Amino acid sequence: MTGRSRIVAGIIAIALLGGAAAAFAIVWRPAIAAVEPPGPQAFDAALVKRGRELAAIGNCNNCHTVQGTRNFAGGLPVPTPFGTIFSSNITPDAETGIGKWSEAAFRRAMRSGVNREGQHLYPTFPYDHFTHVSDEDDRALYAFLMTRQPVRAPPRENQLAFPFNQRFAVAGWKLLFLRQDTYQPDPGQSAEWNRGAYLVEGLAHCGDCHTPRNALGAERNSAQFAGGDVDHWHAYALNDRSHAPMPWDADALYAYLRDGWHPDHGTARGPMAEVVDNLSSIPANDVRAIAVYMAGVSGTPTPARIREGEAAQAQAGPSTAPVSEANAAGASIYAAACASCHAGGRPLPYGGVNLALSTAVAGPDPRNLANIVLSGVQPVAGERSPIMPGFAANMTDAQVSALLNYLRARFSNRPPWSGVEEIVRDARHAQTALLQTSPARRNGPADTKQREKP
Amino acid sequence: MMTLKVNGREHQVHADPDTPLLYVLREDIKLNAAKFGCGLGQCGACTVIVDGKAVLSCVTPMVLLEGKQVTTLEGLGTVAEPAPIQRAFMEEQAAQCGYCIAGMMMRAQALLQKNTRPTDEQIRAELEPHLCRCGTHMRILRAVHRAARLMDTADASSVVGGRGR
């Protein structure tokens, strides 16, 4: 070997070693020493109460509790384009939960998506948002979770194909998409707006559903809040591309997030029903802060947008336009099954929203409308709340499709949907499956008198 | 005028398309097992079976029933020859005031037609839309299990008015 080739070989060897070391540094995370479960007495009651409120804002129970089973014991299947991932047990059970996790281990999981043992967690756990949560709030969340009832529930095996079943691949994903930084307040905005921004972008992880994702499953920052997909529902656009017939403002958002319904917009349902159920149990000023920040995301309505809202209100009145022959069947189903509540002039929550104001009817596809016709709206125990019977057993797919096509034509100025019947069929299939796994809303905190109590 | 198939018989019915099935059953066809409870599809007292599925008849307008087959409690059995589900509810003494029971039986019947041996959990989940203010829930659960066994074994020793356990 000549001197020159020896140098080249040396450089290559150093580059390879360096590359391996860099890859190792990117992928490898140390385990954090196990601790004895600290037990419920180890935490201050006020801290635990704060943690309960934060856990509600973070919507933790939505993914970490399966309907009819113990709270926070995990096991919920989360379908993703890459396979099914099961949520983990976050009760303080030493063997199957996070009982042996120190606060530092918990904070690392929130901050960088690594479990106590040093394995990379899949980003179905939204640490791309939770990374912004403050140390102080992580401490309260830890105190809350460590004072829950420990539940022995072994984790369920994820159903992922190669290469997604290799956890080290997640390290690469993080390099591309995880931006670890604490929230920096915008001095040009109010304290309330900044509080809302901290919650929305961090713990509340609104973008997790409402922002579309790229091919690698990461939120597309260039399209933040432009609408996304979750659990067979469409999570509506919240930015200036919103399909809501009436523009949103901070007051409307506050009422909707707090009560679960608003007269100009209708009722939260599907995964959002669980979100507002949680938000009904936290201090009002945090909900207000979220509403103020999200109203900024929607932006001040343009004159065109305001005219659209006025047109929607006009459309809400009685129609004199003739119904097309194709929509005659749907029109008669609407008149017989829906109109008594939705056109009765009775305001929410006792009447149904006028469908000219419904984002589901104006939305980009009929999934949400199909879901709601099939499964209805469950009452919230102990509270005046909107109700709607589901029509899955009463209507065939053809009847639901006819109804949806009619509603689109009668109550929106948008072009007809395509593929309605297939979407209705899928919705029926998905709702049947979902009913068996989704957390039960009707068991949620409901009594308004209880809201401010620990 | 429309034709409505109930318990295997065709009825000619004069009703507007938005008339709830419950009203037609009770007032026109004089089948009174299905009860009016809330009228909002929230209590389950009006439940009947349509094409094999349990349906809340108070929120099912006639326009949805073209060509479908309705079964009410009267279509399952008679006083002289009660159906297994009816025998089971009597044997377990599952009714107190009884107002909710016809609806409960119809949904339980629909369940047992597709699942001959439901678990306690499945029965609870299935009957969840039904309200009972008397509180006979535990007897109702036992009655559905008993009905499953009766349908399975056609147990001849189990007689009407038998010991409730």
Side-chain angles (χ1 to χ4, degrees), chain B residues 133-154:
Chain B
R133 294 304 297 273
C134 299
T136 59
H137 301 78
M138 300 318 287
R139 286 167 182 255
I140 290 167
L141 280 174
R142 287 208 297 269
V144 180
H145 283 300
R146 178 180 285 252
R149 289 196 302 274
L150 286 176
M151 288 180 188
D152 224 22
T153 61

Side-chain angles (χ1 to χ4, degrees), chain A residues 234-287:
Chain A
H234 179 66
Y236 297 125
L238 305 177
N239 59 9
D240 58 357
R241 297 178 54 190
S242 161
H243 284 77
M246 299 288 286
W248 285 92
D249 60 26
D251 286 340
L253 281 162
Y254 172 77
Y256 178 84
L257 293 174
R258 190 73 173 154
D259 302 328
W261 53 272
H262 185 276
D264 289 347
H265 299 280
T267 307
R269 54 270 195 294
M272 194 63 196
E274 290 146 18
V275 174
V276 298
D277 205 28
N278 274 324
L279 292 182
S280 71
S281 69
I282 67 164
N285 51 0
D286 275 348
V287 183

Side-chain angles (χ1 to χ4, degrees), chain A residues 336 387 391 393-394 399 442, chain B residues 42 54-55 59-60 64 68 128:
Chain A
I387 51 164
F391 287 90
N394 315 46
Q399 286 171 327
R442 56 189 81 90
Chain B
Q42 299 295 309
V55 155
V59 291
T60 305
L64 295 177
K68 294 182 186 174
E128 200 278 337

Side-chain angles (χ1 to χ4, degrees), chain A residues 160-451:
Chain A
L160 295 167
F162 186 84
F164 306 112
N165 56 1
Q166 301 297 311
R167 284 188 182 265
F168 69 80
V170 177
W173 189 94
K174 289 179 184 174
L175 265 189
L176 293 171
F177 304 117
L178 178 61
R179 296 288 162 266
Q180 294 186 47
D181 47 18
T182 46
Y183 177 70
Q184 297 302 320
D186 179 347
Q189 297 282 357
S190 68
E192 195 172 46
W193 185 95
N194 275 299
R195 174 74 185 155
Y198 166 74
L199 292 174
V200 166
E201 304 297 350
L203 192 55
H205 65 286
C206 307
D208 200 51
C209 294
H210 288 280
T211 297
R213 290 175 182 274
N214 64 20
L216 291 172
E219 290 174 33
R220 288 167 46 207
N221 291 335
S222 59
Q224 202 191 14
F225 297 124
D229 300 296
V230 56
D231 296 350
H232 310 285
W233 293 78
H234 179 66
Y236 297 125
L238 305 177
N239 59 9
D240 58 357
R241 297 178 54 190
S242 161
H243 284 77
M246 299 288 286
W248 285 92
D249 60 26
D251 286 340
L253 281 162
Y254 172 77
Y256 178 84
L257 293 174
R258 190 73 173 154
D259 302 328
W261 53 272
H262 185 276
D264 289 347
H265 299 280
T267 307
R269 54 270 195 294
M272 194 63 196
E274 290 146 18
V275 174
V276 298
D277 205 28
N278 274 324
L279 292 182
S280 71
S281 69
I282 67 164
N285 51 0
D286 275 348
V287 183
R288 169 66 66 181
I290 290 172
V292 165
Y293 176 71
M294 288 313 298
V297 167
S298 313
T300 311
T302 60
R305 191 80 181 74
I306 292 167
R307 277 197 300 279
E308 232 177 274
E310 287 164 355
Q313 274 182 318
Q315 220 162 14
S319 170
T320 48
V323 175
S324 76
E325 205 173 305
N327 279 332
S332 58
I333 292 172
Y334 171 77
C338 320
S340 61
C341 288
H342 285 283
R346 216 174 169 208
L348 261 71
Y350 303 113
V353 69
N354 189 294
L355 294 177
L357 308 182
S358 164
T359 314
V361 176
D365 68 56
R367 264 179 299 171
N368 292 9
L369 194 55
N371 288 338
I372 201 78
V373 168
L374 291 172
S375 61
V377 176
Q378 301 293 329
V380 179
E383 196 160 309
R384 56 181 197 142
S385 69
I387 51 164
M388 175 177 150
F391 287 90
N394 315 46
M395 292 191 201
T396 61
D397 289 352
Q399 286 171 327
V400 177
S401 304
L403 174 63
L404 265 47
N405 283 325
Y406 166 74
L407 296 178
R408 180 75 165 180
R410 163 68 181 86
F411 291 108
S412 84
N413 291 316
R414 294 169 195 266
W417 285 309
S418 56
V420 171
E421 190 142 355
E422 194 183 337
I423 288 171
V424 169
R425 203 167 49 240
D426 289 349
R428 188 186 292 276
H429 185 73
Q431 287 297 297
T432 314
L434 196 69
L435 283 176
Q436 283 145 28
T437 55
S438 67
R441 183 179 183 213
R442 56 189 81 90
N443 295 336
D447 187 349
T448 44
K449 294 189 293 296
Q450 298 295 327
R451 279 180 176 172

